[in-house]
Amino acid sequence: MQQFDPNIPGLIQGDVTAVKVIDPASTFPPFEAGNRVLDRKKPFEIAVEWNVTGPLSPLWLFALRDSSWNVQAFAESLGGGPEILLARDDTVKPLFNVSDYSVTLNVAALALDEGDPGSNTSGIYKLVVSVFLDSPIGLPGFDMIGFNEGPIIQIEDPN
């Protein structure tokens, strides 16, 4: 599920257009396809893309030019297990003449637990990504935020 605020059709709207899980340990150039089963002992990446469009977007983004997009990826365990912040990046600056943005988040090895049939830990996680631009401008507030729910991944220890 995708959500973005503000969302005023015809004036300003946004969209988190892609959330891809990239397992650097098992990529096969030129087919850099995402992987849904990940080795818990190895790091992986989450590629996030979003856009802001409409005639008000250049003015809005210019007003927030001193801010940075705060991009975060969370893992929500399905069944038992942790719910944690996996990775974040706050280096992407809003530009009034740019509508498409992207960042790659790096997730450390051992960040998530493997499933254990004898315990309450499933090893299956739904990823939720947020892109947030905090406005220093007062009321009514010009914050921007977008969400993307999914994909679902499985964590395993192949040894």
Side-chain angles (χ1 to χ4, degrees):
M1 175 188 305
Q2 299 177 34
Q3 303 170 7
F4 211 95
D5 180 42
N7 190 10
I8 308 167
L11 295 177
I12 187 169
Q13 27 195 121
D15 190 14
V16 179
T17 56
V19 176
K20 298 176 190 167
V21 176
I22 308 296
D23 181 357
S26 61
T27 56
F28 305 97
F31 308 105
E32 302 298 328
N35 192 1
R36 300 291 177 97
V37 179
L38 303 167
D39 182 343
R40 74 178 300 268
K41 294 179 183 174
K42 296 182 179 173
F44 65 95
E45 299 173 336
I46 302 170
V48 181
E49 298 174 7
W50 69 100
N51 64 36
V52 180
T53 58
L56 287 182
S57 65
L59 177 62
W60 205 295
L61 294 169
F62 179 77
L64 301 177
R65 67 191 176 280
D66 294 330
S67 300
S68 292
W69 287 98
N70 180 318
V71 182
Q72 299 181 98
F74 296 88
E76 179 180 357
S77 177
L78 300 179
E83 296 171 355
I84 64 168
L85 172 64
L86 282 178
R88 66 177 286 167
D89 185 292
D90 59 2
T91 62
V92 179
K93 300 297 273 179
L95 301 170
F96 73 94
N97 59 347
V98 172
S99 61
D100 296 315
Y101 296 90
S102 66
V103 71
T104 299
L105 302 174
N106 298 302
V107 180
L110 304 173
L112 295 169
D113 294 330
E114 174 186 36
D116 181 359
S119 76
N120 195 27
T121 303
S122 71
I124 300 172
Y125 300 88
K126 176 173 40 173
L127 301 182
V128 176
V129 171
S130 67
V131 295
F132 177 64
L133 190 56
D134 191 14
S135 170
I137 302 170
L139 295 175
F142 290 90
D143 293 343
M144 300 184 89
I145 190 157
F147 300 98
N148 186 297
E149 191 175 37
I152 296 174
I153 59 173
Q154 168 78 37
I155 300 298
E156 72 167 357
D157 186 346
N159 298 329

